[in-house]
Amino acid sequence: MATAADHAAMRRAITLAARGLGSTSPNPVVGCVVLDASGETAGEGWHQRAGGPHAEVHALRAAGERARGGTAYVTLEPCNHTGRTGPCAQALTEAGITRVVYAVGDPNPRATGGADTLRAAGVHVEAGLLAEEAEAGNTAWLTSVRLGRPHVTWKYAATLDGRTAAADGTSRWITSAESRADVHRLRAESDAVLVGGGTLRTDDPHLAVRGIEGAVQPLRVVLDTRAGIHPGARVLDGAAPTLLVVGEDADTRRLPDGAELLRLPLYDGRIGVPELLTALHARGVRSVLLEGGATLAGAFAAGGVIDRVVGYLAPVLLGAGPAVLADAGITTITGALRLDVTEAVRVGPDLRITAKPKES
């Protein structure tokens, strides 16, 4: 049975893993804590960037000889393959670790098997400690491996009566400066930020991360079906990489420089959501922050590919204006997309609600 010290060490590893959000893709976020034979912390580490040392290697380097006879707590089953780095199962064995406790098994068929390798080497292995917490912190990567598409977070800002703009179209600013700063945190934790053509024309969004030191800029993805983006659009400023997604027959001869181009087929004049997510996944995108308007959000909801909703609700009433969500293919209350609220917190004067679809 896991002890209080086991729980404390694993919870620390989960906290460490979160430091890698936004910088490890297409790899997972992983944290590791090494306790020496006496139960004292000897080393800590987290996976900091793709291609760099894994969490276990960082922790073992910090622990040095104190790792011998100790216990390693890892948020994900130690890998068992050689890629740009060596197998962590082997590194743990060579360091003299005698017990490994991990939270979540590795679903990647190329990397799984680390637990068996450790056991074969005589290491005592335990699985599943704080698995739910560790999975929540690594949900984007786990979703991408299990479903073959990026994890999608839909972010929106609205009034308490569900309006994203006034009747005349004005929308700056419904929510507070604190909420807008918090959105930059969401962007920094994401591989890609996505908007549609309507948002592009109406708001001219910038979509890059600001105010977060050391942040890796996400890929700015703009659905521009007919390749009509204005040369002065802010997403073309070079502050972050930009991908313009256009219809396969779009005339792109007049497109300005400053963005990469991706052509996809159209269905009823729109880019298909499954095809878009497949293409982004093939590029190594494991998490998408959907910042598009009501129409695009409705298409993602109709496709059943929204994995998390983050709504910023301002203490404001408008009574008219565009709603936060357009047609999602739901025609009756029994077909409603039901959510589980996982968090509700104040952000400045606003309320940030985080929810995920209920499991059927």
Side-chain angles (χ1 to χ4, degrees):
M1 178 178 292
T3 66
D6 292 332
H7 280 83
M10 184 61 78
R11 192 156 281 121
R12 174 59 179 168
I14 292 170
T15 299
L16 290 169
R19 296 185 182 182
L21 285 170
S23 62
T24 65
S25 189
N27 295 344
V29 293
V30 183
C32 178
V33 171
V34 172
L35 302 187
D36 64 18
S38 67
E40 297 296 320
T41 300
E44 297 182 341
W46 69 95
H47 186 39
Q48 299 175 14
R49 59 179 179 82
H54 289 186
E56 296 94 323
V57 174
H58 282 297
L60 290 172
R61 287 175 178 172
E65 282 300 312
R66 293 178 63 196
R68 194 160 301 278
T71 299
Y73 299 83
V74 195
T75 57
L76 185 69
E77 178 185 1
C79 68
N80 197 43
H81 81 297
T82 300
R84 286 184 284 183
T85 59
C88 290
Q90 179 180 340
L92 290 164
T93 302
E94 293 177 348
I97 290 290
T98 57
R99 178 176 175 240
V100 170
V101 181
Y102 69 88
V104 180
D106 193 334
N108 184 352
R110 293 182 57 245
T112 193
D116 291 338
T117 296
L118 288 165
R119 291 188 181 101
V123 178
H124 180 71
V125 179
E126 300 170 29
L129 180 62
L130 299 183
E132 188 173 340
E133 292 181 31
E135 181 146 345
N138 208 17
T139 186
W141 182 82
L142 290 167
T143 297
S144 72
V145 173
R146 292 166 178 167
L147 301 182
R149 65 161 176 82
H151 179 277
V152 176
T153 294
W154 171 39
K155 183 279 300 181
Y156 70 87
T159 62
L160 280 183
D161 56 342
R163 306 294 176 175
T164 59
D168 65 356
T170 55
S171 60
R172 294 186 178 181
W173 295 101
I174 286 177
T175 52
S176 65
E178 293 90 339
S179 288
R180 297 195 297 277
D182 196 60
V183 170
H184 285 278
R185 174 189 59 82
L186 286 180
R187 289 178 180 174
E189 294 176 356
S190 304
D191 295 339
V193 181
L194 173 65
V195 298
T199 299
L200 178 70
R201 291 185 292 273
T202 302
D203 297 338
D204 188 25
H206 189 237
L207 303 180
V209 176
R210 298 187 298 276
I212 299 180
E213 185 177 355
V216 176
Q217 290 292 347
L219 177 68
R220 299 181 289 190
V221 182
V222 177
L223 304 190
D224 186 23
T225 307
R226 296 300 176 190
I229 189 170
H230 188 275
R234 295 202 297 161
V235 293
L236 300 176
D237 66 354
T242 300
L243 178 68
L244 294 181
V245 185
V246 303
E248 57 187 355
D249 296 328
D251 184 354
T252 59
R253 291 175 295 179
R254 296 184 180 180
L255 278 180
D257 296 331
E260 185 182 348
L261 195 65
L262 172 64
R263 293 182 180 272
L264 289 177
L266 299 181
Y267 302 92
D268 295 326
R270 295 182 180 179
I271 291 166
V273 170
E275 289 79 5
L276 172 63
L277 292 179
T278 296
L280 291 177
H281 188 267
R283 294 174 57 93
V285 171
R286 298 295 179 258
S287 58
V288 171
L289 181 63
L290 177 61
E291 292 200 35
T295 300
L296 189 60
F300 272 70
V305 292
I306 292 179
D307 302 296
R308 180 176 64 156
V309 178
V310 180
Y312 295 85
L313 300 180
V316 175
L317 299 176
L318 284 174
V324 70
L325 185 66
D327 182 15
I330 301 169
T331 58
T332 178
I333 191 65
T334 58
L337 178 58
R338 303 285 180 175
L339 306 173
D340 279 322
V341 174
T342 59
E343 185 185 52
V345 297
R346 287 284 295 269
V347 180
D350 305 324
L351 180 65
R352 185 187 71 209
I353 296 179
T354 304
K356 61 182 182 179
K358 285 182 176 289
E359 295 183 5
S360 55

